[in-house]
Amino acid sequence: MTSTTFDFAQWPPSLTDVQINALTQHATTYALSHGLTYLPPGATQPPSPSSTIHAPISLLPSPIPRSLFEQAQRLQSSYNILYAQVAMDDDFLDNVMGAVVGVGKADEFVGTLWRGWKAIRDEEIVQPLHLGLFRSDYLLHTGEGDGRISLKQVEFNTISSSFGPLSEKTAAMHRYLNALTNYFGVSPYFKSENFPPNDTTARLAEGLAEAHKAYGVPGAYILFVVQPNERNVFDQRWLEYELLEKHSIRVVRQTFEELATSAALDPDTRVLRLTVSPALSPLGSLSTLEVSTVYFRAGYVPSDYPTPTHYTTRFTLERSRAINCPTIPLQLAGGKKIQEFLTHPGVVERFMRDADVQSIGTATKDLRETWMSMWSLDDPDPPVVPSDYPLQRTMDEPRGTTAARALADSLVLKPQREGGGNNVYKQDIPPFLETLPAQDREAWIAMQLILPPQGLGSYLVRAGATSDPNGGNKVVRSETVSELGIFGWALFSRETGVRERGDAGWLVRTKGVESNEGGVAAGFSVLDSVVLVDG
């Protein structure tokens, strides 16, 4: 928590139309020149793209108090260790996320993943190592009532933590604009020392390279499991190029549908091998490649598994000797129900004690200070409501559901989903609860809303129609909310313990206040970066 003399309502500084047009031209040209790009919209994308558009971006970086930015960076190591410990606790995951007694009973997607993982455990797991490329997301919170601003966690991502490379390029773009124009002198904060470095691409590639090294076969490939017709392909390609250029590790990209026919396990060793076409083969002919590491940029939403074959393919990868990023238990550990359960008394303390973390009291206190109140809809005793507080209940519904209805204006409801567009907010909560089947309540959590600084704004730039006389770029000045993500990685097993890196770079996504959701790929946000301010 920090007190700050910075006035968020005065951001962004005023710019003239001439200045906005100049910055837009410099920013979009830089983005296109440096691979800060998307594939253009379309029903399908060709195997060999012939055009790109710049990613959605902000013209100015967003202000974040220096002390809170540094706090978020310090916390990442503790979060890496915490979620690694959760992923290695089979009994805990069975109880919270399982299909027998946990969330998997109410959520078919979670239940199917859990059942597949349980079957693999019963057979025998041949690769004990897990790799996590993580991102912890935060908002600034002004709800303390004393003018102080604190850092509050939105969620912790354990699968497909995207936009690392493009966030690095966005930060570089803002440094370039500052160096070129000094942003026309409109703010004293536009100094080089207030633009923190961001080397996310190298740090995330480092985590993948460490897993490849642990596998022990230098000539093996890293497999990127990707979605078909992926528009955010360049964010992934920059990791691929870093792995080849800095670590001499090759990458092969496949969808679940392609893997259904290309992937096979050695019946004795469970080595994962792919039969790939000449276009993907380094030999220019039909080849079989051994896989050291499986990096999932798909598989986090039910739509990634349209048929049972897609789940079977996921389980084949999990059964293999390749190191999965993430494993199914690590993906389950990122569920919203886990986030809520960790807030229960003694839970996070137990995991940090099991990890033999020094200064457990300090570590757990620092983590807990970033959490809002959360509870399950089937909770009999939600933490924000005193036990003697009268609630108008509907039939025999749980007190947690009644509390969510009564306090709806200050809440968000979250399912066990990633990727944006899944949550229910404020006034939409009561009618949603009326239609939610009782057996599905366990799959949802209620979370008190984080209250960002009001009046903060930005200039948001999205690529538009190429026939637009202004060059196809739409610039909107909007009141905004900015979300800070901190990256980290961990390579771990019960036998080796946890090796992790907490300082793996950062991301800022900015959206208009009228949008509840925050996903860039889902179309809600733009890529942004940080200018450090007082505090």
Side-chain angles (χ1 to χ4, degrees):
M1 189 178 298
T2 185
S3 59
T4 177
T5 59
F6 184 79
D7 186 353
F8 287 92
Q10 296 302 310
W11 196 269
S14 295
L15 294 168
T16 67
D17 289 345
V18 171
Q19 292 169 337
I20 292 171
N21 289 337
L23 289 172
T24 301
Q25 181 184 25
H26 292 312
T28 56
T29 302
Y30 184 97
L32 291 167
S33 300
H34 291 78
L36 179 49
T37 49
Y38 266 17
L39 289 179
T44 60
Q45 300 294 342
S48 301
S50 58
S51 63
T52 66
I53 59 173
H54 66 79
I57 51 177
S58 66
L59 281 187
L60 280 69
S62 287
I64 295 180
R66 186 182 301 272
S67 60
L68 297 184
F69 181 76
E70 293 172 350
Q71 177 191 0
Q73 291 181 307
R74 288 194 305 270
L75 282 169
Q76 190 62 32
S77 183
S78 294
Y79 271 117
N80 292 346
I81 293 169
L82 173 60
Y83 277 85
Q85 290 297 123
V86 171
M88 291 187 289
D89 193 322
D90 295 352
D91 291 341
F92 179 77
L93 287 174
D94 288 347
N95 181 57
V96 180
M97 300 295 282
V100 178
V101 296
V103 168
K105 290 187 305 179
D107 188 305
E108 182 60 25
F109 173 57
V110 171
T112 302
L113 288 177
W114 180 87
R115 285 188 293 269
W117 172 50
K118 179 66 166 59
I120 295 166
R121 278 190 285 159
D122 291 344
E123 293 173 8
E124 180 190 14
I125 292 174
V126 299
Q127 178 52 264
L129 283 168
H130 310 242
L131 174 65
L133 299 188
F134 301 136
R135 195 186 71 229
S136 186
D137 292 335
Y138 303 92
L139 290 172
L140 301 183
H141 179 56
T142 59
E144 306 300 331
D146 56 3
R148 292 180 178 268
I149 295 176
S150 59
L151 191 73
K152 295 297 183 182
Q153 187 184 60
V154 178
E155 62 185 359
F156 191 86
N157 300 275
T158 64
I159 182 169
S160 189
S161 301
S162 59
F163 290 111
L166 292 195
S167 68
E168 178 178 333
K169 294 186 178 297
T170 306
M173 179 197 72
H174 285 148
R175 287 195 299 272
Y176 159 75
L177 292 175
N178 186 58
L180 181 68
T181 70
N182 188 227
Y183 280 106
F184 308 107
V186 296
S187 171
Y189 288 103
F190 288 136
K191 300 176 182 177
S192 59
E193 60 265 31
N194 292 333
F195 289 75
N198 193 7
D199 56 355
T200 312
T201 307
R203 299 286 74 82
L204 293 180
E206 176 188 64
L208 290 163
E210 286 299 321
H212 177 85
K213 181 180 178 181
Y215 182 81
V217 178
Y221 280 62
I222 292 180
L223 166 64
F224 282 21
V225 182
V226 298
Q227 294 173 325
N229 302 317
E230 173 64 77
R231 291 185 60 210
N232 188 29
V233 64
F234 300 104
D235 184 59
Q236 303 165 12
R237 289 289 190 182
W238 285 116
L239 281 176
E240 177 183 338
Y241 304 150
E242 182 79 11
L243 286 165
L244 182 61
E245 294 167 8
K246 301 295 175 59
H247 302 278
S248 299
I249 301 171
R250 294 178 212 164
V251 166
V252 59
R253 297 166 57 85
Q254 297 261 283
T255 64
F256 277 122
E257 188 167 343
E258 291 167 329
L259 288 166
T261 57
S262 68
L265 302 186
D266 184 289
D268 297 321
T269 64
R270 293 214 216 159
V271 166
L272 175 62
R273 292 190 174 93
L274 306 182
T275 301
V276 299
S277 68
L280 297 175
S281 169
L283 303 177
S285 60
L286 193 67
S287 299
T288 300
L289 312 176
E290 182 173 350
V291 174
S292 69
T293 306
V294 182
Y295 174 43
F296 288 96
R297 292 296 292 259
Y300 53 88
V301 288
S303 58
D304 285 338
Y305 305 90
T307 71
T309 299
H310 289 73
Y311 281 108
T312 299
T313 301
R314 174 68 188 273
F315 301 146
T316 296
L317 302 178
E318 189 83 12
R319 284 188 172 90
S320 76
R321 191 168 292 277
I323 298 169
N324 278 223
C325 176
T327 57
I328 291 175
L330 187 51
Q331 179 174 349
L332 294 175
K336 304 302 185 292
K337 182 62 176 177
I338 296 293
Q339 184 185 12
E340 181 262 323
F341 215 91
L342 289 171
T343 67
H344 294 191
V347 176
V348 66
E349 288 81 359
R350 191 258 288 181
F351 281 117
M352 300 305 274
R353 190 179 306 112
D354 290 348
D356 197 24
V357 172
Q358 294 182 347
S359 303
I360 292 175
T362 300
T364 56
K365 177 177 178 291
D366 290 344
L367 292 174
R368 287 188 178 279
E369 284 181 349
T370 66
W371 297 340
M372 301 299 287
S373 292
M374 287 173 261
W375 66 91
S376 172
L377 291 184
D378 64 348
D379 194 329
D381 187 23
V384 297
V385 182
S387 59
D388 59 350
Y389 186 89
L391 289 173
Q392 187 65 40
R393 306 178 74 176
T394 301
M395 295 190 296
D396 296 325
E397 73 178 10
R399 191 172 171 84
T401 300
T402 305
R405 182 182 291 104
L407 304 173
D409 285 346
S410 63
L411 299 179
V412 53
L413 299 187
K414 295 185 174 184
Q416 312 304 308
R417 294 289 181 273
E418 307 297 334
N422 301 298
N423 299 335
V424 182
Y425 291 84
K426 294 184 175 181
Q427 68 273 12
D428 294 332
I429 291 175
F432 171 79
L433 292 176
E434 294 300 324
T435 63
L436 183 67
Q439 65 270 20
D440 291 349
R441 290 174 184 147
E442 189 172 3
W444 289 78
I445 70 164
M447 175 177 167
Q448 284 194 306
L449 282 169
I450 303 169
L451 303 176
Q454 293 185 344
L456 177 68
S458 189
Y459 297 92
L460 312 181
V461 185
R462 289 184 172 88
T466 55
S467 60
D468 190 309
N470 295 317
N473 294 305
K474 182 179 181 181
V475 183
V476 176
R477 189 190 189 285
S478 176
E479 187 175 349
T480 55
V481 175
S482 294
E483 189 170 307
L484 171 67
I486 303 295
F487 290 98
W489 62 260
L491 182 66
F492 56 96
S493 72
R494 293 185 181 92
E495 293 77 11
T496 64
V498 182
R499 181 183 176 190
E500 56 86 25
R501 184 171 190 131
D503 57 338
W506 48 269
L507 156 75
V508 177
R509 292 167 297 172
T510 292
K511 64 183 180 181
V513 293
E514 71 281 357
S515 172
N516 285 320
E517 299 293 349
V520 176
F524 302 110
S525 300
V526 304
L527 292 171
D528 200 348
S529 75
V530 173
V531 59
L532 299 174
V533 299
D534 298 335

